[in-house]
Amino acid sequence: MHGYDEPVYLISVVAKVLNIHPQTLRQYEREGLIEPSRTQGRMRLYSQRDIDRIKLILRLTRELGVNLAGVDIIMQLKEKIDAMQKEIDSLRKELEKAQSQTTIPSHRAMVAKSNYEIIIFEEE
């Protein structure tokens, strides 16, 4: 079995599997929505990740009526969200690690206030 990112599928195979014209795939590439790998002979090769991305593009355009400019914006935002989620996950792991250690270097220390004391003064 091939890896998720390994480019192994020719344009004709991808077009047939997704029931689209190869020219559609070329248009998506011209628009910058996909970037298939190339062989030494300049043949396009697609990975499973590329195919999943094309499926998302087709769903956005066919089912939701989004034009290609809108698809581009959505895909860029999705990539940013994915990158931010990875960063959040990394920071959470780092925080858990820091909280489990008995000593934390001062440059890495955090102070969290979650409880507040409320003092009510009564007028006499």
Side-chain angles (χ1 to χ4, degrees):
M1 192 71 177
H2 301 288
Y4 189 64
D5 292 313
E6 188 177 351
V8 293
Y9 303 104
L10 295 171
I11 190 169
S12 58
V13 174
V14 175
K16 188 172 185 174
V17 166
L18 297 177
N19 196 27
I20 58 176
H21 197 280
Q23 196 61 31
T24 304
L25 294 169
R26 291 182 189 100
Q27 179 183 4
Y28 290 170
E29 185 177 1
R30 279 191 304 274
E31 296 284 337
L33 298 173
I34 57 174
E35 193 175 333
S37 297
R38 299 283 186 143
T39 65
Q40 294 291 342
R42 303 288 298 150
M43 291 175 53
R44 291 171 179 88
L45 288 178
Y46 297 85
S47 67
Q48 186 60 49
R49 181 179 305 278
D50 294 327
I51 292 172
D52 289 345
R53 184 175 176 94
I54 296 163
K55 286 179 183 178
L56 176 58
I57 294 167
L58 291 171
R59 190 171 42 147
L60 289 169
T61 56
R62 290 178 177 171
E63 296 175 20
L64 300 176
V66 179
N67 65 21
L68 293 182
V71 169
D72 185 37
I73 291 169
I74 290 168
M75 300 300 270
Q76 288 179 32
L77 289 172
K78 183 183 179 314
E79 289 170 5
K80 286 180 183 179
I81 290 169
D82 291 346
M84 288 179 185
Q85 188 60 53
K86 284 181 182 178
E87 185 176 359
I88 289 169
D89 292 343
S90 172
L91 290 170
R92 280 188 178 140
K93 287 179 185 174
E94 190 175 329
L95 179 61
E96 288 172 6
K97 182 180 173 184
Q99 288 175 338
S100 69
Q101 294 176 345
T102 55
T103 58
I104 300 173
S106 61
H107 70 282
R108 304 289 257 170
M110 289 181 51
V111 177
K113 289 274 188 181
S114 59
N115 295 327
Y116 296 95
E117 290 184 24
I118 298 176
I119 301 173
I120 302 174
F121 294 97
E122 293 182 19
E123 290 186 37
E124 294 184 29

